[in-house]
Amino acid sequence: MIVKNEEEVLARCLDGVKAFADEIIIADTGSEDSTVAIAEKYTDKIFSFDWCDDFSAARNFSFSKATCDLVMWLDADDVVEDKDAAEICRLKEQMKDYDMAFLEYVIPGTDGRPLMCYCRERIFRRTQNYVWEGAVHEAISPRGRILYSSAKIVHKKIRPSQPMRNLRIYQKIISQGGKLCARDRFYYGRELFYNGMHCESCAVLEDFLAGNGWIENKVEACIMLYSAYLAEGKVQKATSSLLKSFEYGLPKSRVCCLLGERFFSKGDYETSIFWYKTAAALPQNICSGAFIDCDSSAFTPYMQLCVIYDRMGDYKKACYYNNLAGSIRPDNPGYLYNKRYFKEKHQLG
């Protein structure tokens, strides 16, 4: 692990880790709170790393201190629940036939249910000498014998991230004459968007789409361009960006939901229904590595189909789709409001 000022979450993370880790290695990048003191309760392998605006350098430093056959990384605000810790213990034995394991990374919403999930490279055979790459949004390129595990890691932030930090690192690289690879251009465009620099984000993401790059990143770039162009008031370009995502493979549920939203806003309910039903029917492949928007694959299209059919006066269909949404998120306020509405006004339940 690499850490800095993580006193609020570090113990929560390490309480799960100690169930399966034979050694815990902490690379501290300059904590000014009680992070190191907390870490000392779990391990004596705590090292200082002089922060140099390079996450890969810090990760590689932490990996260099490992002595076990397998190496696993976590962030301080990650949580390993008991069932997943048990699965990781079993995974250690399975890994004798593999070099790298991918685990599901879950981003929960405010209600604790999964909001987004995707697979990430998580466990590595040390003798394969894997290397982290990328100053920001660092990653290890897949190679060797790969296993996809059912174990999950839950990323539970308790405070917002620092988007300006990442943007500053990218701009430092550029100002010093460094070149951004395709993956870095994608993430640089994303950081520009997160910081409200929509015009600049559009330029960088369009440049990324014009060159080489991972297909899943290209789809995400199209989705981000949609939001950036809308923020700039360029509705036609926004819609064209969504349609461009179809060049890279099967439609994504999130793209279909956004198209459904566009046609709904224009009062074209039939076309909107088509896109929302398509979103709900599409398969979700977690092993692709793509970001999976959990709500876009079922809950959101069901709720929107409820609204559309209600507008069209087809209350039975509207109630049907509301019930489907409720089967996924039974405590959702919108679903519960609709349930009361259909029961009181249309005697449907």
Side-chain angles (χ1 to χ4, degrees), residues 88 101 124 131 187 194 274 289 305 317 341:
I88 292 171
F124 312 88
V131 176
Y187 279 106
Y194 288 158
F274 169 83
L305 285 166
K317 279 189 178 179
Y341 162 77

Side-chain angles (χ1 to χ4, degrees), residues 153-198:
I153 305 298
V154 183
H155 191 58
K156 290 188 177 181
K157 281 185 174 293
I158 64 170
R159 60 173 184 254
S161 56
Q162 306 172 45
M164 280 301 296
R165 176 198 61 194
N166 295 342
L167 183 60
R168 179 181 56 78
I169 293 173
Y170 280 129
Q171 292 181 336
K172 177 182 176 182
I173 293 171
I174 295 169
S175 69
Q176 293 177 346
K179 299 292 184 182
L180 299 182
C181 67
R183 185 174 185 275
D184 284 337
R185 289 201 303 277
F186 164 68
Y187 279 106
Y188 178 43
R190 200 173 76 158
E191 296 298 337
L192 287 165
F193 174 80
Y194 288 158
N195 285 279
M197 303 171 71
H198 301 128

